[in-house]
Structures are given as C-alpha cells and as structure tokens.
Amino acid sequence: MKKIVGILSAMLLSLLLVGCSQNKLAACFSKEELTTLSQDNITLAESGDYETFMEAVDPLTRTSFTEEIYQQYLDAVAPKGERKSFGNTAFVGQTDQTTGANYAAVIMIVEYEEGKIQYTLGYNEDLKLVQFLIK
C-alpha cells in the first residue's frame, strides 16, 4: 500500500513541478489563509466523506484521486489515532514558466495520539487542491 501511495504521490508531484520554478509565495497567496485552508482540508480528509473532500480538489486532479486511493489514505491515518494538534508549517511557491500560473505548497506536520504525519498540500490560484500527500 505504501508503494502505491508513494508512486501516486510522485506522479502528482511531478505533474505539479513540470515547468515550474521554486520561489517565494506569489502575492495571490496568504500564509494565514493557506494555513487555515490546509487545516480545514486535513480535517475534511480525515472525516471519511470522499464526496465532500473532492469538492476541495481541482477538477483536473480529481481523476487521479480515486475512492480507492482515498481509502488507502484513511487506512494509513487510522492507526495514528485521534489528531492532537497541527504543528510546524512551511510554504513553497511555484510558478509554471509556460503558463505563468502560480502554485503554493504547504508542508504541515500533524501530531496524532500514535505519531506524526507530514502532509504536503498543493494549491492552485483558485485555492483548489492539486496535491495531497502524506509521509
């Protein structure tokens, strides 16, 4: 299961990074807004409500995030127990050199009763998820 999640994660990450350069967050992104949105999206993902969670995902990315993959995420998070807190957060900005589109990546550590999970959430300018990874 970890290999499947890892492979799909790598595929999504490579799609996001193709033609992009790393830099600071574009002016269209706010660290505060991204932090709150990421916490909300993690909470939503943990809820088990696939349909509602998919509303937060960019339509072009939805085909890559099937119910089967979502269930694998839930299966990976379940043994960690209840979430205790959101921890350290880092931000990375990216601009697609071909289209000029801006992206933001949020790396957030979440502490659970039985350990920590590192989330990487990628957002487009519409603040829709284009990446949702755990490690």
Side-chain angles (χ1 to χ4, degrees):
M1 178 173 76
K2 287 183 180 180
K3 287 182 183 180
I4 291 172
V5 173
I7 291 169
L8 290 171
S9 299
M11 288 176 14
L12 285 175
L13 182 59
S14 65
L15 286 173
L16 181 63
L17 295 177
V18 169
C20 296
S21 64
Q22 277 190 307
N23 53 34
K24 295 180 182 179
L25 288 175
C28 62
F29 297 112
S30 153
K31 288 183 179 181
E32 293 78 19
E33 184 176 26
L34 288 169
T35 299
T36 300
L37 184 59
S38 295
Q39 291 173 349
D40 291 347
N41 283 330
I42 291 168
T43 301
L44 181 58
E46 293 169 340
S47 75
D49 185 348
Y50 175 76
E51 294 300 323
T52 303
F53 176 70
M54 291 310 293
E55 292 174 13
V57 177
D58 180 82
L60 296 174
T61 307
R62 288 180 188 161
T63 57
S64 300
F65 203 70
T66 64
E67 286 188 70
E68 180 181 334
I69 292 170
Y70 182 69
Q71 186 59 52
Q72 290 174 1
Y73 159 76
L74 293 174
D75 293 344
V77 173
K80 298 292 184 184
E82 293 294 317
R83 179 176 13 94
K84 291 171 61 177
S85 64
F86 294 104
N88 293 334
T89 305
F91 305 89
V92 177
Q94 301 171 342
T95 301
D96 184 312
Q97 297 302 312
T98 304
T99 66
N102 293 300
Y103 297 93
V106 178
I107 299 102
M108 183 177 286
I109 305 298
V110 179
E111 186 174 341
Y112 294 88
E113 293 173 324
E114 301 298 325
K116 297 178 183 180
I117 294 178
Q118 176 183 303
Y119 284 81
T120 303
L121 294 89
Y123 295 96
N124 62 17
E125 293 175 359
D126 296 326
L127 297 177
K128 291 290 189 178
L129 283 167
V130 294
Q131 181 182 43
F132 185 84
L133 311 171
I134 63 169
K135 182 177 178 183

